Amino acid sequence: MNEYYIGNTFFTIMVMAIMMAIVSGNRYMAKETKRGLIFTFASIMLATIGELIGVLVDGKSEETVILHYIVKVVEFSVAPFISINCANAFFSVSENEKKIMKFIACAHVLIEIISVFFGCIFYIDESYTYHHGKMYWLYILVYSKSIYVQQKISKPKCLCLNFNLGIYGK
């Protein structure tokens, strides 16, 4: 299974790198849109790499536990906000909405970090295997809310943005 997972991850990273190159070389796109898209592509790459490393070290050894926690925190912190980053790149968002999204993102990252110590969202057991914690629903809630916010921002003007649930969803 890992061969396919590694292959899919490599493919995703390469596509995102190509997209970054295309966007950065585009002379007709606004700088803010370029920045937003490059940030989105980098976020996808980071979440994808975090997920892959998490899969590869799952159940391996005590030496990999800290790495496992780090990549899970990164993955769980970045993934829910990919759709919002993408919508922000294409559509205008008020300063108030940006502040709310930043607050939710920071609070979510803090909860993910706390989960490392208390296992509320996820934990790694004594056999070094990853598991969902009792409050994993909170991660799903934030993930779902981010998709809702993205759809509200894009106001179904762009169906490809609304399609991202199928691409980025777990």
Side-chain angles (χ1 to χ4, degrees), residues 68-86:
H68 203 170
Y69 274 116
I70 291 169
V71 297
K72 280 309 199 185
V73 166
V74 168
E75 174 196 348
F76 279 27
S77 296
V78 171
F81 300 99
I82 292 171
S83 60
I84 292 175
N85 294 338
C86 192

Side-chain angles (χ1 to χ4, degrees), residues 14 29 32-33 56 73 76 79 86 88 93 120 122 124 150:
M14 293 307 299
M29 196 176 285
E32 194 64 32
T33 302
L56 293 177
V73 166
F76 279 27
C86 192
N88 285 341
V93 179
C120 48
F122 71 93
I124 298 167
Q150 173 268 316

Side-chain angles (χ1 to χ4, degrees), residues 118-142:
F118 298 104
C120 48
I121 306 291
F122 71 93
Y123 64 94
I124 298 167
D125 67 13
E126 49 284 334
S127 65
Y128 320 117
T129 304
Y130 158 83
H131 298 281
H132 296 166
K134 291 181 180 177
M135 293 180 65
Y136 184 76
W137 60 268
L138 189 60
Y139 169 73
I140 299 300
L141 179 69
V142 171

Side-chain angles (χ1 to χ4, degrees), residues 1-2 5-6 9 45-61 64-76 122-125 127-131 170:
M1 180 210 139
N2 282 347
Y5 211 90
I6 292 168
T9 301
M45 292 169 79
L46 187 61
T48 302
I49 291 168
E51 185 175 12
L52 174 66
I53 294 171
V55 166
L56 293 177
V57 300
D58 194 38
K60 294 296 183 208
S61 69
T64 63
V65 171
I66 293 173
L67 175 62
H68 203 170
Y69 274 116
I70 291 169
V71 297
K72 280 309 199 185
V73 166
V74 168
E75 174 196 348
F76 279 27
F122 71 93
Y123 64 94
I124 298 167
D125 67 13
S127 65
Y128 320 117
T129 304
Y130 158 83
H131 298 281
K170 294 186 177 196

